[in-house]
Amino acid sequence: MEEECMVDDENSGIKAIAATPDTTDPDLTNVVKRSKAWYMVVLMSLCYGIGELSHFLPGTTSRAMSQELEYGDQSCLRNESVPVQFGGGNTTCSDYSNQETCNYVLTNQSGGSSFCKWDYNGMGIEYQILAGPSFILAFSIGGLMIGALADRYNRIVILAISTIVFSTCTIVMGTAQEVWQLIFLRFGVAFGESACQPVSASLVMSLFPQSLHGAALGLVNWGIYFGYGLSYVVGNYIPPLDILGQGWRWAYYLSGIPGFFFAVLLLVTTSDPRSLNRSKKNDSFSLEAEENAKKEKKEESPSIWNNAWINLSHFFHPFVLLLCLGACVRHTAGFSWAYNSQLYFDYYYPGTDVGLWLFLVSIVGGSSGILIGGAVSDRVVKRAGLQARAWVLAASQAVASPFAAGVLLLPPPYCFASLLIAYLFAEMWFGVLFAILIELVPAAACSFVIAVFLFVMNNIGGNLPVIITPISKLMGYRETLILFYPGFFLISAALFGLLGIALRNSKEGRKKSLTIAENCDS
C-alpha cells in the first residue's frame, strides 16, 4: 500500500504558551497519498517560479526598456551599432561623464560613428520604483487579502486564479508604451503572485507532518530561484533576437504563457485537502444534523474581517516580531543584489555575458541552499528543539557574508564562483524561516499570519533598496552594494542568533520545544 502523509500532532513536541485547546477533529484529519502530496508541492513550486520570473524580469530588461520608453538616468554606454574591430581599444565608455565627450569617442577609428553613446542606462529612481515599491505595494496588500481568504476558502482555486492574473499582466506588460503603464501592470503581477507563499505554506501544513515541513517548504521555495535564475536567461537572450521587431517585449510574452498551463493543471489534477475532509464529514451527517451544524456555524463564526483581526494578535508575539525583524534585514540584502546584479555587471564589466552564469549560479546555488536548509533544520529540530532552526538561519547568513563580499570585489569569472558559495549558504534561509513561523502560530491563523509577516517583510526589505541610488552617488555604486548585500547578511545573522537564544531560554526550557500555539495542520 502506498505511504500516506498525515499531520503528526503527538510527536511534534510542540505545545502552546497560551493554553490553546486542541480543537482538531479526528474525523477531519487529512489523509493524502505521499506521491500526490509531493506532486502538489512541485506544481506549487512551478507556479511560484513563473511568478518570480515575472517579478525579476524588469531587472534584466531595464536598459532595453528605458531606451525605448525613455525613462531613468542617462550615461555614456558602448555603442552596440559599431563593431568592436572598428575601434575602442581599452576605452571604457563609463569613464566619460558628459554627453559631449561621450558622443565623440574615437570617431575616426570607428567608421565615422562614436564608439560610445549617451543613452538611458536602465538605472535611476524610475527603475527603482518599478522594481521595488510598485511591486511591493500590491504584493503586500494582496498577500493580506488572499491570506485571509485562504484560511476559509478553496486554496487550490485561489492559487490557480492568482496564477492566471499575474501571467496575464506579464504578457500585457510587453505592450506598454509608457513607464506608468509598466508600473500599473506591475501591480497586477504582484497582486497575483502574492498568493504563492501563504497559500502554498498553508497547503504544505495540510499535506505533511512536522518532520517534513522544512523540506516541503524548501521545494516550494525552490521556485523562487528557478524563476529568478530564468529571468537572466530570458532577459539577456530573448531581446537580442528581436522577434518580429519587438525586442524586449517578447521576453514578457514568453514569460507569461506557462502560467496558464500550470493553473489548469492545478484545477484539473489537484484538490484542496481541507475541502475533501469537509466533504467526507458532511457525507456522514443526516440532513437534520447538517442543517443544525450550518446554523450553529453561522451564529458562532465571526466575519472574515473580525476573524482576521483576532488572528493578527498572533503576529505581535515577541518571538514572531524578532523573527520578522531579522527577515526584513535579510530580505533587504537579497533584494539589493537581485535588483542591481544585472546593472552592476553592465556598469563595471560591460560586454560580459552574465546571462548563463547568473542563471546557473542561481539555480544550482539557490535551489541547493534552500533544499539543504530545510532538510538540515528538519533533522536538528528533532534533537535540539525549535531554536535549532534559528541557529541554522544565523549560521548560514554569517557564513554567506564574506562570499557575498567576494562577488563585489572579484572580477568575472571568479566573482561567480564566490556568488555560488554565497547562494549555497545564504539561500538556506527562506524555507527555514517559514518552518519556524508556521510552528509559532495556531492552525486557524496560519495563512493570515504568514500574509501579515510577508506584508511587513516585503515593505521593508523590498522598499529599502530604493535608497541605493542616492547613497551610491555619495559613496560609489560598488561600495553601497557592499554595505547592503554582505553587510546586511551579517546583521540578519545576529538577529536570528538572538532569536535562537530567546527560544532556548524560554520558560519551557530545553525539555519542551517552544511554540506560541499548536502546529499549523489545516
Side-chain angles (χ1 to χ4, degrees), residues 166-225:
F166 71 66
S167 298
T168 300
C169 290
T170 299
I171 291 174
V172 180
M173 281 184 72
T175 68
Q177 300 299 320
E178 301 285 345
V179 67
W180 69 263
Q181 294 172 350
L182 290 174
I183 294 174
F184 177 77
L185 291 166
R186 185 90 161 141
F187 290 158
V189 173
F191 191 87
E193 194 190 345
S194 68
C196 292
Q197 186 65 41
V199 173
S200 297
S202 180
L203 283 168
V204 164
M205 297 310 101
S206 297
L207 294 168
F208 295 93
Q210 185 197 6
S211 60
L212 290 175
H213 286 175
L217 285 172
L219 183 55
V220 169
N221 292 318
W222 174 83
I224 297 174
Y225 306 99

Side-chain angles (χ1 to χ4, degrees), residues 403-422:
F403 293 101
V407 175
L408 299 166
L409 297 174
L410 299 173
Y414 307 107
C415 61
F416 298 119
S418 188
L419 181 60
L420 176 64
I421 301 174

Side-chain angles (χ1 to χ4, degrees), residues 282-296:
N282 288 339
D283 288 343
S284 65
F285 286 166
S286 65
L287 180 60
E288 182 179 358
E290 183 176 1
E291 291 299 323
N292 291 336
K294 288 181 179 179
K295 290 180 181 179
E296 183 179 350

Side-chain angles (χ1 to χ4, degrees), residues 125-170:
I125 194 64
E126 289 90 345
Y127 165 70
Q128 295 295 344
I129 292 174
L130 176 64
S134 66
F135 184 91
I136 297 303
L137 176 63
F139 188 86
S140 302
I141 295 173
L144 288 174
M145 296 174 61
I146 294 173
L149 293 172
D151 282 327
R152 282 177 165 256
Y153 300 106
N154 190 301
R155 293 168 289 185
I156 294 296
V157 173
I158 291 173
L159 183 58
I161 292 175
S162 299
T163 301
I164 291 173
V165 168
F166 71 66
S167 298
T168 300
C169 290
T170 299

Side-chain angles (χ1 to χ4, degrees), residues 394-438:
S396 62
Q397 303 313 298
V399 173
S401 182
F403 293 101
V407 175
L408 299 166
L409 297 174
L410 299 173
Y414 307 107
C415 61
F416 298 119
S418 188
L419 181 60
L420 176 64
I421 301 174
Y423 273 150
L424 188 62
F425 287 97
E427 305 310 327
M428 292 172 67
W429 84 292
F430 210 64
V432 180
L433 178 82
F434 284 98
I436 294 175
L437 181 60
I438 62 179

